[in-house]
Amino acid sequence: LGLPVLVIVARKRRRRNRRRRRGTTAERVAGSFAELVDDVRDLGRPVPPRATRRELASVVGVGARELAARADDATFGADEPTDADVDAAWAAYEDARTTLVSDLGRLARLRARASITSLRGGSR
């Protein structure tokens, strides 16, 4: 019975690690914001499908504006982000995620971890 949940959690962890460690530094910074949006999706909150990062940030809240700004700067800025920028973006992601789930009970957190919503596609 627990095997499907373990598979889902493992796939999400693999996706998160891929976003964090693969690609250019700009892609890795942008991945931190994409991961937060996927967390919001898995919590069952609505996410507009064609919104910009900053528009999504206003819907998501909880530190998403900082992550959106970092991702936009990394993607569209003149300079390539450094590894320190990547680490800072992922640290900001961790803080935002902690705030996002802080008011949830144990069952709601488990339900979000087991949700396949973000795995079904539509992720940024």
Side-chain angles (χ1 to χ4, degrees):
L1 185 61
L3 185 62
V5 173
L6 291 175
V7 170
I8 292 166
V9 170
R11 286 191 63 199
K12 287 181 181 183
R13 180 175 289 137
R14 188 177 71 205
R15 178 189 62 201
R16 186 174 45 250
N17 288 337
R18 221 181 12 239
R19 285 177 172 166
R20 191 174 195 157
R21 295 187 176 104
R22 289 194 186 161
T24 65
T25 53
E27 290 168 339
R28 292 165 38 207
V29 170
S32 65
F33 182 77
E35 193 65 28
L36 183 65
V37 171
D38 281 344
D39 289 342
V40 169
R41 234 184 229 115
D42 287 336
L43 287 168
R45 297 182 184 169
V47 176
R50 297 197 193 319
T52 66
R53 284 187 188 110
R54 298 200 186 211
E55 290 168 341
L56 285 171
S58 67
V59 172
V60 172
V62 300
R65 289 180 197 269
E66 177 190 349
L67 279 175
R70 285 177 186 269
D72 283 347
D73 290 346
T75 303
F76 304 113
D79 298 325
E80 185 72 18
T82 64
D83 286 332
D85 294 328
V86 172
D87 292 340
W90 281 93
Y93 159 76
E94 293 293 339
D95 292 343
R97 185 180 190 294
T98 298
T99 303
L100 184 66
V101 299
S102 65
D103 61 339
L104 300 177
R106 182 183 253 171
L107 184 60
R109 289 180 194 190
L110 180 61
R111 199 174 300 133
R113 286 187 64 129
S115 173
I116 62 168
T117 303
S118 66
L119 294 176
R120 284 191 271 169
S123 298
R124 301 190 102 204

